[in-house]
Amino acid sequence: MTTVRYVCVSDLHLGAPDSTLTQLNAAGEFDAAHPSPTLLHFASSLRRTLRHMAQAAKAQGLAPTPPTLVLLGDILDLGISPMGQVARVFTQFVEALFPPGQEPVLAPTMLLVPGNHDHHLWRMAQDTLFVEALRQGQIHDDLIDHSEYRDRPPGSEIPCDMLTAILRRHLPDEPQARVHIAYPNLCLLTPDRQRGVVLHHGHYIDPTYRLMSTINGLMSGQTMSDLSAETLEQENGAWVDFLWSDLGSAGDTGREAFSLYQVMNNAGASHAYADQFRERLLDRVASQLGFSGSMPLYQGITLRQLVGALIELTLTRNAQGQRNNFLDVLPPDDLKNLSAFIGGPALYDLQQALRPHAAAHPALPDFDLSFVYGHTHKPFQQELVIEGLNQPVAVYNTGGWVLDQPTMTFTQGASAVFISDELDVAALRLFNDPVASQMAPVRAEGLQNFRDRHNPLLGALQAAVAATAADWAAFSDCARDKLEALAAAALNARSMAHPYQKGARP
């Protein structure tokens, strides 16, 4: 028997109009007074499942404690929705998970690993820490660029003030009610340092969000295997902010930029955006450095042509690849990028975590590693062979809770990933887009190979899901209805339209 230590969810996109967890009224506007039925059924079913697992563990003589909720990025959709709207939906999320008068089944302390849509929360934490140091008479050289959560003693964690404030409003008598940030990666290790789980939202696996590193690599020859997650954040953090980390609070501009992702799902729109970005970048170069876009560089090639080619090789080409891959859970280019991130930044972080215990842990090639991420909105579990490791890495994707396109596809959906005290991992497949109004039932899944037989967490989760099948069936009905309503609204009212998609140019 085993006990659950962490429950991981990602890509809730709370506050976004196309999230299944954001309630809209009949006019398609945000409804602050009523939480989404999908949210309420998910929280209720999750609580019952965790309660069943805790009772089963107690029956086996164990003493389980409530697991920690890991918010694996894009929990808030600051790229689309104003801050107040996002905060209200997160409040609904907290109220659903911790209903008054019931014994909590989740720990009051949460962990946040920000993604591209809520990267602004990391920026807020950086600024807060810098100002706090000033108040203590210290001037740091710069903002912190990463959080080594695994090495921080109690009391020195990096706080997420916004989410902590919301959590404490609902749990005023709970002194441990707080949200800590681990970024860009969260690294978990067993006491014997023989197993570990690395968690990352997934945006730096996506070439769109590491554009600056790609440009640097074209000039220096560096590849992903040469970079740490810390370096990726140093080079690309400002670029993530520029794209859409908090566009939701940008007034009309933010509302028009409903989603860059949706822009890049349209061939004409993505090229129009790339053209505008090229000109904006050239304007910045001209104003700061005095270089004109028509300035010749080499054999008649101008600066404008070079910049345009770099954007085409990175942002636009990747967007076109994503558009063609809705029917493939892990297309070849995505597999290549994923493998490169695990073999580079993820292993680098793992080595840093193991370094203080070098004499006690096995050689890195024999390490048992799992990797958890989201971002793609396409949940899956599988093993990957990674250079430098003798055994395959178990990879779990948590999917997403939004409608990416009105023509729904079976590859899109959401999972919650459970992690035990022994760092066994199992996925709770919550839903995939309905096909002909049919949705597969909620189910516990492993790697679907011989390793599942030696995973006690998977068996415990399967038993708990079976015991709460009626609750999860009600959740599935709500999720199906919400997805179909969002799809109908997108098709009939063109609620996903964007000025670029209509041929407009800013």
Side-chain angles (χ1 to χ4, degrees):
M1 193 61 190
T2 188
T3 57
V4 182
R5 182 178 175 188
Y6 300 98
V7 178
C8 311
V9 294
S10 79
D11 297 88
L12 307 182
H13 291 273
L14 298 176
D18 56 353
S19 171
T20 58
L21 303 178
T22 300
Q23 183 68 2
L24 306 178
N25 59 26
E29 300 169 339
F30 171 60
D31 185 353
H34 302 94
S36 160
T38 307
L39 169 59
L40 295 178
H41 278 283
F42 167 66
S44 173
S45 302
L46 178 63
R47 294 197 316 270
R48 289 177 181 272
T49 299
L50 290 174
R51 188 170 293 113
H52 184 279
M53 296 182 77
Q55 291 170 348
K58 290 177 182 178
Q60 296 293 321
L62 301 177
T65 57
T68 297
L69 185 64
V70 178
L71 305 172
L72 197 55
D74 286 5
I75 300 303
L76 309 185
D77 208 313
L78 300 174
I80 292 177
S81 305
M83 191 76 77
Q85 180 169 315
V86 166
R88 289 185 180 94
V89 185
F90 186 76
T91 299
Q92 294 173 345
F93 178 70
V94 169
E95 291 171 347
L97 289 176
F98 298 91
Q102 294 190 25
E103 183 178 355
V105 295
L106 287 167
T109 299
M110 300 180 185
L111 292 177
L112 170 69
V113 184
N116 47 298
H117 279 262
D118 47 19
H119 187 263
H120 186 63
L121 297 176
W122 171 243
R123 285 286 185 238
M124 293 168 67
Q126 288 178 302
D127 293 342
T128 297
L129 290 174
F130 190 85
V131 172
E132 287 296 326
L134 289 176
R135 289 173 177 156
Q136 297 173 18
Q138 305 173 34
I139 300 179
H140 292 168
D141 292 337
D142 204 345
L143 302 175
I144 61 169
D145 48 33
H146 71 293
S147 155
E148 298 182 62
Y149 184 86
R150 58 184 181 271
D151 295 331
R152 292 187 173 273
S156 65
E157 298 90 350
I158 296 177
C160 178
D161 288 344
M162 175 180 167
L163 299 191
T164 296
I166 294 173
L167 189 60
R168 285 180 173 172
R169 284 182 68 214
H170 183 65
L171 301 173
D173 299 324
E174 176 50 70
Q176 299 302 316
R178 62 191 66 175
V179 180
H180 296 149
I181 294 181
Y183 186 75
N185 291 344
L186 169 62
C187 188
L188 308 174
L189 299 171
T190 55
D192 62 8
R193 288 344 194 228
Q194 296 186 24
R195 306 183 78 185
V197 182
V198 174
L199 301 97
H200 172 67
H201 170 67
H203 52 301
Y204 286 143
I205 299 172
D206 185 338
T208 300
Y209 297 97
R210 60 171 199 273
L211 174 62
M212 299 302 119
S213 294
T214 301
I215 293 176
N216 289 343
L218 291 173
M219 295 183 289
S220 67
Q222 73 178 14
T223 64
M224 180 93 88
S225 61
D226 302 318
L227 303 176
S228 66
E230 173 186 349
T231 302
L232 284 172
E233 173 61 21
Q234 289 172 341
E235 296 180 348
N236 300 280
W239 167 238
V240 173
D241 289 335
F242 170 78
L243 278 179
W244 58 1
S245 178
D246 59 350
L247 270 177
S249 293
D252 291 341
T253 300
R255 285 187 288 272
E256 289 179 359
F258 178 77
S259 168
L260 176 60
Y261 181 81
Q262 291 160 348
V263 172
M264 304 312 276
N265 280 343
N266 178 287
S270 60
H271 282 291
Y273 178 85
D275 289 344
Q276 188 210 27
F277 175 66
R278 179 195 63 208
E279 295 305 316
R280 188 177 298 179
L281 186 60
L282 288 170
D283 287 344
R284 180 70 62 87
V285 170
S287 64
Q288 294 189 0
L289 303 178
F291 297 151
S292 168
S294 59
M295 181 182 69
L297 298 177
Y298 179 72
Q299 292 186 351
I301 298 176
T302 66
L303 180 60
R304 174 175 280 100
Q305 290 171 325
L306 176 61
V307 171
L310 291 174
I311 294 173
E312 174 66 26
L313 285 170
T314 53
L315 183 64
T316 309
R317 181 169 297 181
N318 174 69
Q320 291 173 338
Q322 290 293 328
R323 278 194 303 273
N324 295 327
N325 289 328
F326 282 119
L327 297 179
D328 196 342
V329 171
L330 192 61
D333 284 347
D334 291 4
L335 174 60
K336 179 180 178 181
N337 289 314
L338 173 60
S339 299
F341 185 90
I342 296 175
L347 282 190
Y348 177 89
D349 256 22
L350 178 62
Q351 289 173 316
Q352 295 301 307
L354 292 173
R355 184 163 294 171
H357 312 274
H361 71 76
L364 185 62
D366 297 323
F367 194 83
D368 183 2
L369 176 64
S370 296
F371 181 76
V372 182
Y373 77 114
H375 185 68
T376 68
H377 301 173
K378 295 184 286 189
F380 70 88
Q381 310 85 234
Q382 73 176 65
E383 290 185 317
L384 292 181
V385 175
I386 301 297
E387 185 176 354
L389 295 175
N390 290 335
Q391 59 178 314
V393 175
V395 178
Y396 297 80
N397 187 285
T398 46
W401 293 72
V402 297
L403 178 76
D404 281 326
Q405 56 169 356
T407 52
M408 296 181 286
T409 173
F410 65 92
T411 61
Q412 297 174 160
S415 281
V417 169
F418 286 52
I419 302 174
S420 73
D421 283 322
E422 297 79 19
L423 299 191
D424 290 314
V425 184
L428 179 64
R429 180 65 60 89
L430 296 164
F431 66 85
N432 287 92
D433 285 357
V435 177
S437 293
Q438 299 297 314
M439 292 185 73
V442 174
R443 59 206 179 275
E445 295 184 334
L447 296 168
Q448 298 183 335
N449 62 21
F450 70 94
R451 294 178 71 174
D452 290 349
R453 295 196 300 270
H454 308 286
N455 184 349
L457 176 63
L458 177 59
L461 183 57
Q462 288 172 334
V465 171
T468 55
D471 299 280
W472 287 117
F475 161 78
S476 296
D477 289 342
C478 277
R480 179 199 61 216
D481 293 345
K482 180 67 172 181
L483 286 165
E484 291 182 341
L486 288 172
L491 289 171
N492 297 333
R494 295 186 61 82
S495 62
M496 284 178 147
H498 185 283
Y500 291 112
Q501 293 172 301
K502 300 172 185 176
R505 294 291 298 275

